[in-house]
Amino acid sequence: MKQLFDTLSLEMSAMTTKRYSTSFSIGIRFLSNDLQAPIHAIYGFVRFADEIVDSFHTYEKKELLSEFKSETYKAIERGISLNPILNSFQWVVRKYQIDPELIELFLQSMEMDLEKIQYEQSVYERYILGSAEVVGLMCLKVFVKGNEEAYNNLKDSAMKLGSAFQKINFLRDLNADYHQLGRTYFPDMNFDLFDCAMKQKIEQEIELDFKAGYEGIKRLPKDARFGVYMAYRYYVKLFHKIRKTDAEVILGERIRIPDNKKYRLLFTSYLRHNLNLL
């Protein structure tokens, strides 16, 4: 029965999320039951594409990504894929009518990671749109369950929240991106001279994105709100830690939140949510 294969595919997407991101796994766990599988499926798709460009250094990344892209569109068209991650993703795309343009923009950003690109402002904005903002929109499609009015009202906030998360990821991963992968996403910055002034300029951008994103969280449907709020609180905590860390340290190591603090954050977030203190 195909249902058995579809169930297995969704389990693979959930496993992928848990193996790669404890923080997102915690957030997804506090979505309503019917939202968890589709969000796992979106994460699995995004993670596999990201792994191709970030990790498979001894393989033909361009060829692998091209094949992954082709198989993605075939899966959506056919309504099935023997790749469990793509089988889960096509189900979400078809069920929630995710715009193919969002998928194309995401894959274009992954293709950008295969090249040594000078990220001037317009290119930087295009990369953020494809790598983060459209992923927020895919998730929003699931959260509003087909309600176009709610989707359009929350669209800008979802994009800003995705942008904030991605820019924090850039700062957190600055060491690996710059020293190992040779990437410098932030425009007009010489990371050989990275200092507190440069770091503060990026942090000001993130603050504005967070403010707009938080307003959207408060207006999300109740069955989605707490899970997204959990992810938001995690990234705010990470952001605060990054702000307190010197620029040279950021450039030299990956900033992390210990697991015990993640679970403490879960407890306080749960209280704030249940007491309507968002």
Side-chain angles (χ1 to χ4, degrees):
M1 292 175 60
K2 183 174 181 294
Q3 183 60 47
L4 179 60
F5 178 65
D6 289 342
T7 300
L8 175 64
S9 297
L10 290 170
E11 289 173 355
M12 290 293 291
S13 296
M15 183 185 299
T16 299
T17 308
K18 291 169 186 172
R19 290 291 179 90
Y20 278 100
S21 178
T22 56
S23 54
F24 271 105
S25 293
I26 291 170
I28 292 173
R29 194 185 309 163
F30 290 94
L31 298 172
S32 68
N33 288 338
D34 62 323
L35 298 179
Q36 291 180 26
I39 299 302
H40 279 140
I42 291 171
Y43 182 90
F45 168 74
V46 169
R47 171 51 60 189
F48 267 39
D50 203 47
E51 281 302 293
I52 292 171
V53 299
D54 282 356
S55 302
F56 300 163
H57 306 309
T58 59
Y59 300 91
E60 292 295 332
K61 294 182 182 182
K62 193 169 186 178
E63 184 178 330
L64 286 172
L65 185 60
S66 177
E67 289 175 3
F68 186 76
K69 182 175 182 177
S70 176
E71 290 300 315
T72 296
Y73 289 124
K74 283 181 185 176
I76 294 167
E77 181 182 353
R78 292 171 174 169
I80 191 171
S81 173
L82 292 180
N83 178 329
I85 296 297
L86 292 183
N87 191 52
S88 294
F89 184 64
Q90 66 78 22
W91 165 73
V92 175
V93 172
R94 292 164 68 96
K95 179 177 174 65
Y96 293 94
Q97 296 296 296
I98 291 174
D99 190 338
E101 184 183 2
L102 302 182
I103 302 166
E104 180 62 25
L105 286 169
F106 169 73
L107 290 169
Q108 285 176 6
S109 283
M110 295 300 98
E111 289 168 344
M112 290 169 71
D113 272 336
L114 295 174
E115 309 294 337
K116 300 290 185 184
I117 295 174
Q118 183 65 42
Y119 280 86
E120 60 186 37
Q121 188 64 34
S122 62
V123 180
Y124 169 66
E125 290 173 3
R126 180 156 55 93
Y127 183 84
I128 292 284
L129 171 64
S131 66
E133 293 178 359
V134 300
V135 178
L137 294 179
M138 290 183 203
C139 293
L140 181 60
K141 274 284 188 179
V142 174
F143 296 150
V144 300
K145 301 176 183 176
N147 185 323
E148 281 299 310
E149 183 180 357
Y151 177 79
N152 289 326
N153 287 339
L154 292 166
K155 184 177 178 180
D156 289 344
S157 292
M159 293 173 73
K160 290 297 186 183
L161 191 62
S163 176
F165 288 177
Q166 182 67 299
K167 289 170 186 175
I168 291 170
N169 287 341
F170 287 163
L171 281 175
R172 180 194 62 189
D173 298 333
L174 203 58
N175 176 45
D177 284 340
Y178 183 58
H179 293 298
Q180 297 173 29
L181 299 175
R183 297 176 189 158
T184 53
Y185 292 110
F186 296 109
D188 305 319
M189 289 195 181
N190 179 356
F191 285 95
D192 289 327
L193 303 173
F194 187 60
D195 59 15
C196 287
M198 291 183 187
K199 180 169 163 285
Q200 286 171 1
K201 182 180 177 182
I202 298 166
E203 290 165 352
Q204 287 166 3
E205 281 184 33
I206 294 170
E207 276 190 305
L208 293 174
D209 287 342
F210 260 144
K211 185 176 180 180
Y214 180 66
E215 291 305 310
I217 292 173
K218 293 190 291 185
R219 293 185 286 122
L220 279 171
K222 189 174 182 180
D223 55 358
R225 191 185 309 138
F226 182 53
V228 178
Y229 179 64
M230 267 301 304
Y232 164 82
R233 285 290 305 274
Y234 166 76
Y235 270 95
V236 167
K237 186 77 172 178
L238 183 59
F239 181 51
H240 287 166
K241 188 169 183 179
I242 287 171
R243 291 188 77 164
K244 294 176 183 177
T245 305
D246 290 339
E248 60 268 25
V249 176
I250 295 288
L251 195 56
E253 65 182 56
R254 193 176 196 262
I255 305 302
R256 300 176 185 273
I257 301 295
D259 285 345
N260 65 323
K261 290 189 176 180
K262 289 179 186 177
Y263 288 107
R264 192 183 313 153
L265 192 64
L266 167 62
F267 177 71
T268 58
S269 298
Y270 182 76
L271 288 178
R272 288 179 64 84
H273 180 264
N274 279 8
L275 295 171
N276 291 315
L277 295 176
L278 297 194

